[in-house]
């Protein structure tokens, strides 16, 4: 087991290497550059800028230089936000996104699994229909509709929660509405996923055996059904966690959250090479580490998986 | 086997309501089970064998299934009228079951110990430690080598035959009155089948457990069962002592079944006998003898009315107009 974890962990290194290399070159092959969109600069000034950022060197040279910096934990200066480095920008925005994303995902997991169990056990009854209608709404209604509706209801009408904002004296109340909004599609997906797999396990032979042994229905569900039925949900959590952190740009805009989503999109539009790279690296790191964690958890949940 | 009747099934009817109509999977079934008896229920696929045994412990999936009528008297009490709580105290305790496919009947996510101990602590009120000792003892009886070690393993670490041994150990761990075995050997290969049947016979006779053995194999029935019910289309065609039925089958269906078993002592170049036609579709079956389209001795009445049960004496019953003197 320990051996497997170490080997699996080491395999993250080449993955990250490939991601860094590919995105480094891909961005540079995209048309335009960080300084091309502005009004025409005098040739000498442009040369000076390029020289300052070492962009006058050959591509492989730039790559090696960048790679070396990354290995030292330095993502370089931002080309657009001239007063801050990429490290600073990420350090300011990522924690907010992680807090928002974690709370939203936790909400989605608990509510989703709970609703999934309820609907599976009450299949084709009103509880099931209600829950699955809610799930369809969650999957199909865009966040920029759900967000303002929640703002209207809870902030404007009921005046329970602040409309928007993040830091300040209202914290952590400001967290509730964006987290709720962000969790909705994930909640809906998890509810449907867990309902489907619980229904499948409920019909399995080993659940029939458990019932034939005289176990209470609650014991059958808690002990015999859930462990197997929640495996698909666990494997969904890896991509969901990384997706919920960066995929929150709409929610960040609606609720004015200083998160990573907005910076990510802006940096791509600006061709802010170093900032894009920094975001991509941190994002992929979260993704591969989450998948790694899911693999490990899977091994504990499913005894049929042996690590050799 | 004693004269004491421990399970009495009277006119049991289990219907499934599906879109195409009503499937009468079990329709008017009656039999008695005595203490220590081994009763075989044979029939083709779809004849209602498995539904019968799930009905006995009231585990028909509902919807679409529904027990439409009849009584299942266990020690004189009707199990179909019991509360869920009361029937749970019987399931796995007084009446336990083993199923056809040992590969899927054990929970792959839980250790054998967990699965065995939960039954024992639930019904016998033993603590974990005593229950584990009991479970190990049962595994040993079931012929699992080094059970102290094996009990902490997961089902996937056992072969099919070994898993069925675990199922047998688990089902007998609360010393049940009745063991219902639903095709316990169908999923196993032939050499293992004989071992598992031997094990079941030995353990149940040692513990005095009555057995309802559901199978489609006449060979298994002949070797194991005191009495026999032959089922066809959800009803009993014929029942009685196994040796008598084999020696002198009365119902044309039973006669056909026994004739279609290949025999080494009468081997010849002839083709093996088979009953012509297919089993009927049991959706909205009319009130006729369901076997008449395949029967060589059909009479007019067979197409109009289901035959009443004729008592042939010495515990033999047959549902066929050929033996019914009050034939109208």
């Amino acid at each position: 087991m320990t051996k497997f974890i170490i080997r699996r962990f080491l395999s993250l290194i080449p993955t990250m290497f490939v991601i860094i290399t590919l995105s480094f070159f891909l961005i540079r092959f995209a048309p335009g550059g960080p300084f091309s969109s502005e009004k025409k600069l005098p040739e000498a000034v442009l040369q000076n800028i390029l020289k300052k950022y070492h962009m006058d060197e050959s591509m492989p040279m730039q790559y090696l230089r960048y790679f070396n910096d990354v290995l030292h934990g330095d993502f370089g200066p931002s080309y657009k936000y001239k007063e801050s480095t990429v490290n600073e920008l990420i350090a300011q925005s990522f924690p907010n996104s992680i807090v928002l994303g974690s709370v939203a995902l936790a909400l989605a997991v608990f509510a989703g699994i709970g609703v999934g169990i309820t609907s599976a056990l009450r299949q084709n009854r009103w509880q099931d229909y209600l829950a699955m209608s809610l799930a369809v709404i969650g999957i199909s209604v865009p966040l920029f509709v759900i967000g303002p509706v929640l703002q209207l209801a809870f902030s404007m009408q009921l005046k329970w929660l602040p409309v928007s904002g993040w830091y300040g004296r209202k914290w952590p109340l400001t967290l509730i509405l964006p987290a709720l909004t962000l969790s909705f599609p994930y909640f809906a997906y998890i509810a449907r996923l867990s309902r489907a797999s619980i229904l499948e396990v409920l019909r399995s032979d080993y659940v029939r055996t458990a019932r034939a042994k005289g176990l209470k229905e609650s014991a059958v569900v808690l002990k015999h059904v859930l462990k197997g039925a929640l495996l698909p949900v666990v494997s969904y959590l890896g991509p969901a966690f990384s997706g919920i952190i960066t995929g929150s740009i709409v929610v960040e805009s609606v609720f004015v959250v200083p998160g990573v989503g907005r910076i990510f999109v802006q940096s791509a539009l600006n061709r802010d090479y170093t900032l894009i790279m920094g975001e991509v690296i941190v994002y992929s790191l979260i993704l591969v580490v989450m998948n790694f964690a899911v693999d490990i958890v899977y091994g504990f949940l499913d005894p049929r998986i042996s690590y050799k | 086997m004693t004269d004491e009747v421990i399970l009495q099934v009277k006119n049991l009817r289990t219907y499934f309501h599906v879109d195409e109509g009503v499937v009468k999977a079990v329709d008017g079934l009656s039999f008695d089970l005595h203490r220590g008896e081994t009763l075989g229920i044979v029939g083709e696929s779809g004849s209602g064998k498995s539904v019968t045994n799930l009905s006995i412990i009231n585990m028909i999936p509902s919807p679409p299934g529904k027990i439409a009528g009849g009584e299942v008297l266990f020690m004189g009490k009707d199990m179909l009228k019991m509360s869920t709580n009361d029937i749970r105290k019987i399931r796995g305790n007084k009446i336990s079951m083993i199923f056809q496919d040992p590969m899927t009947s054990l929970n792959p996510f839980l250790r054998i110990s967990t699965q065995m101990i939960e039954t024992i602590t639930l019904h016998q009120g033993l603590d974990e430690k005593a229950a584990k000792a009991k479970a190990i003892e049962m595994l040993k009886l079931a012929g699992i080598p080094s059970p102290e070690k094996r009990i902490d393993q997961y089902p996937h670490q056992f072969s099919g035959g070994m898993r069925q041994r675990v199922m047998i150990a688990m089902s007998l761990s609360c010393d049940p009155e009745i063991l219902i075995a639903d095709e316990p050997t169908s999923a196993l290969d032939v050499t293992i089948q004989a071992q598992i049947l031997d094990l079941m016979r030995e353990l149940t006779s040692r513990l005095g457990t009555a057995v309802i053995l559901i199978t489609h194999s006449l060979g298994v029935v002949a070797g194991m069962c005191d009495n026999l019910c032959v089922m066809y289309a959800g009803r009993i065609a014929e029942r009685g002592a196994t040796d008598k039925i084999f020696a002198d089958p009365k119902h044309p269906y039973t006669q056909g079944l026994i004739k279609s078993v290949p025999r080494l002592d009468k081997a010849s170049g002839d083709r093996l006998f088979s009953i012509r036609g297919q089993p009927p579709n049991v959706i909205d079956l009319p009130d006729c003898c369901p076997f008449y389209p395949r029967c060589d001795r059909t009479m007019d009445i067979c197409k109009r009315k289901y035959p009443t049960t004729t008592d042939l004496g010495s515990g033999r019953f047959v549902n066929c107009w050929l033996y019914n003197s009050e034939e109208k």
Side-chain angles (χ1 to χ4, degrees):
Chain A
M1 186 73 185
T2 328
K3 240 184 194 169
F4 166 83
I5 294 178
I6 292 169
R7 250 207 350 235
R8 180 72 180 71
F9 189 76
L10 289 180
S11 77
L12 300 184
I13 295 169
T15 312
M16 286 310 295
F17 171 76
V18 170
I19 291 172
I20 293 171
T21 310
L22 272 180
S23 38
F24 181 89
F25 288 107
L26 277 175
I27 303 165
R28 279 164 178 78
F29 289 140
F35 312 110
S36 57
S37 58
E38 289 172 27
K39 63 176 197 267
K40 193 91 181 128
L41 290 170
E43 191 55 31
V45 178
L46 188 62
Q47 284 309 322
N48 259 339
I49 292 176
L50 289 180
K51 197 170 169 75
K52 183 189 168 200
Y53 293 119
H54 303 287
M55 283 176 66
D56 53 344
E57 294 171 4
S58 70
M59 203 78 105
M61 197 56 220
Q62 289 182 45
Y63 172 72
L64 288 178
R65 184 184 292 279
Y66 181 73
F67 203 87
N68 185 43
D69 286 347
V70 169
L71 285 184
H72 290 90
D74 178 10
F75 291 129
S78 164
Y79 294 160
K80 281 288 162 181
Y81 304 94
K82 295 202 173 57
E83 60 287 350
S84 22
T85 64
V86 173
N87 292 40
E88 286 167 2
L89 286 168
I90 289 178
Q92 284 160 16
S93 58
F94 247 102
N96 297 335
S97 289
I98 286 178
V99 168
L100 176 58
S102 313
V103 173
L105 194 63
L107 274 176
V109 167
F110 285 110
I113 292 176
V115 167
I117 295 173
T118 317
S119 346
L121 296 181
R122 298 273 177 278
Q123 195 197 359
N124 297 335
R125 279 182 246 176
W126 68 267
Q127 296 96 328
D128 184 25
Y129 292 130
L130 179 74
M132 286 305 111
S133 317
L134 203 66
V136 170
I137 293 174
I139 286 174
S140 47
V141 177
L143 293 182
F144 58 77
V145 175
I146 295 177
V149 167
L150 290 181
Q151 282 174 324
L152 265 178
F154 292 101
S155 311
M156 309 304 288
Q157 295 296 322
L158 297 169
K159 298 192 189 306
W160 288 351
L161 297 165
V163 180
S164 65
W166 189 249
Y167 304 115
R169 63 191 172 84
K170 292 255 172 81
W171 172 267
L173 283 182
T174 45
L175 177 65
I176 297 174
L177 281 185
L180 213 58
T181 311
L182 187 57
S183 73
F184 215 62
Y186 292 90
F187 148 75
Y189 189 79
I190 291 173
R192 287 168 61 98
L193 193 67
S194 48
R195 173 183 181 268
S197 67
I198 289 170
L199 281 178
E200 198 185 312
V201 175
L202 276 174
R203 297 204 179 91
S204 69
D205 286 352
Y206 64 82
V207 169
R208 184 182 57 185
T209 307
R211 288 190 178 131
K213 289 199 291 193
L215 295 181
K216 276 195 189 138
E217 196 57 23
S218 55
V220 170
V221 171
L222 291 176
K223 213 166 162 187
H224 287 267
V225 176
L226 283 189
K227 210 172 173 193
L230 293 184
L231 282 180
V233 177
V234 170
S235 58
Y236 171 65
L237 286 185
F241 185 69
S242 24
I244 210 167
I245 286 170
T246 42
S248 58
I249 171 139
V250 173
V251 174
E252 286 175 16
S253 309
V254 171
F255 293 97
V256 201
V257 175
V260 81
R262 255 188 320 170
I263 297 179
F264 207 166
V265 174
Q266 271 309 312
S267 66
L269 294 176
N270 289 339
R271 298 281 186 276
D272 193 342
Y273 291 159
T274 43
L275 188 52
I276 301 175
M277 284 302 297
E279 306 262 0
V280 166
I281 291 170
V282 175
Y283 172 73
S284 8
L285 203 61
I286 292 177
L287 183 65
V288 293
V289 168
M290 281 311 290
N291 281 336
F292 167 68
V294 165
D295 275 4
I296 306 285
V297 171
Y298 230 83
F300 284 110
L301 289 180
D302 191 344
R304 286 167 300 183
I305 297 174
S306 63
Y307 296 117
K308 285 186 189 127
Chain B
M1 175 174 155
T2 63
D3 286 339
E4 187 193 347
V5 174
I6 51 170
L7 184 78
Q8 202 171 15
V9 175
K10 284 185 183 168
N11 198 25
L12 177 69
R13 285 176 294 134
T14 306
Y15 297 167
F16 288 83
H17 298 268
V18 296
D19 292 343
E20 292 80 20
V22 179
V23 178
K24 297 183 175 176
V26 172
D27 198 15
L29 196 83
S30 305
F31 63 82
D32 295 344
L33 182 73
H34 301 89
R35 186 177 290 278
E37 173 185 353
T38 299
L39 173 75
I41 299 183
V42 283
E44 292 165 75
S45 303
S47 58
K49 306 181 300 269
S50 298
V51 174
T52 304
N53 84 65
L54 285 177
S55 302
I56 290 172
I57 55 169
N58 210 342
M59 263 181 50
I60 292 294
S62 164
K66 197 172 180 338
I67 296 179
E71 292 178 340
V72 176
L73 302 172
F74 173 67
M75 310 282 223
K77 270 186 266 171
D78 189 355
M79 304 236 297
L80 302 181
K81 294 204 178 71
M82 276 183 196
S83 70
T84 335
N85 258 327
D86 288 340
I87 206 161
R88 246 188 242 124
K89 287 179 191 139
I90 294 179
R91 284 182 198 156
N93 184 23
K94 299 288 173 206
I95 303 181
S96 63
M97 292 186 73
I98 48 182
F99 298 98
Q100 177 169 356
D101 191 352
M103 304 308 275
T104 56
S105 294
L106 289 164
N107 191 330
F109 301 107
L110 300 176
R111 291 175 204 279
I112 300 299
S113 52
T114 317
Q115 303 190 46
M116 290 191 71
I117 289 170
E118 71 179 354
T119 322
I120 300 171
T121 50
L122 178 71
H123 295 301
Q124 310 251 293
L126 296 179
D127 61 33
E128 290 269 319
K129 213 175 148 202
K132 187 163 184 178
K134 170 88 183 164
I136 291 173
E137 183 198 325
M138 289 309 298
L139 287 176
K140 190 179 258 163
L141 281 178
I144 303 271
S146 50
E148 304 81 10
K149 217 174 73 200
R150 298 284 268 168
I151 194 167
D152 286 320
Q153 294 184 331
Y154 288 97
H156 70 274
Q157 289 162 299
F158 290 74
S159 67
M162 281 295 167
R163 283 191 217 185
Q164 200 61 302
R165 284 174 189 270
V166 171
M167 282 298 290
I168 291 172
M170 192 157 83
S171 60
L172 294 177
S173 60
C174 294
D175 199 5
E177 300 289 341
I178 304 172
L179 173 69
I180 301 176
D182 188 351
E183 309 215 20
T185 57
S186 307
L188 303 172
D189 73 56
V190 186
T191 48
I192 308 293
Q193 284 186 10
Q195 292 176 12
I196 295 292
L197 289 174
D198 282 345
L199 174 70
M200 271 181 55
R201 187 166 37 206
E202 191 205 308
L203 285 186
T204 54
S205 69
R206 190 191 308 185
L207 300 169
T209 314
V211 180
I212 299 178
L213 180 67
I214 292 169
T215 177
H216 53 246
S217 160
L218 287 174
V220 168
V221 167
M224 293 277 295
C225 302
D226 306 310
N227 291 307
L228 180 60
C229 293
V230 180
M231 279 190 78
Y232 190 80
R235 309 196 194 213
I236 286 182
E238 179 167 6
R239 68 184 157 106
T242 309
D243 44 357
K244 297 222 174 78
I245 289 184
F246 271 85
D248 179 23
K250 295 291 186 193
H251 196 286
Y253 177 59
T254 322
Q255 292 168 357
L257 280 184
I258 290 173
K259 258 197 338 203
S260 41
V261 176
R263 294 187 60 161
L264 285 175
D265 54 335
K266 287 186 183 161
S268 66
D270 297 342
R271 275 181 71 102
L272 187 63
F273 177 82
S274 67
I275 304 173
R276 66 190 158 89
Q278 293 291 321
N281 185 350
V282 287
I283 295 179
D284 296 328
L285 203 65
D287 186 34
C288 57
C289 172
F291 188 62
Y292 88 81
R294 306 173 74 184
C295 182
D296 291 328
R297 298 164 72 184
T298 314
M299 297 175 294
D300 253 3
I301 190 162
C302 303
K303 299 175 189 172
R304 285 186 281 110
K305 211 162 174 250
Y306 186 79
T308 48
T309 308
T310 311
D311 187 344
L312 300 173
S314 60
R316 287 197 68 179
F317 299 90
V318 65
N319 283 24
C320 179
W321 287 118
L322 287 172
Y323 305 95
N324 201 319
S325 48
E326 48 171 338
E327 186 181 314
K328 288 154 236 156

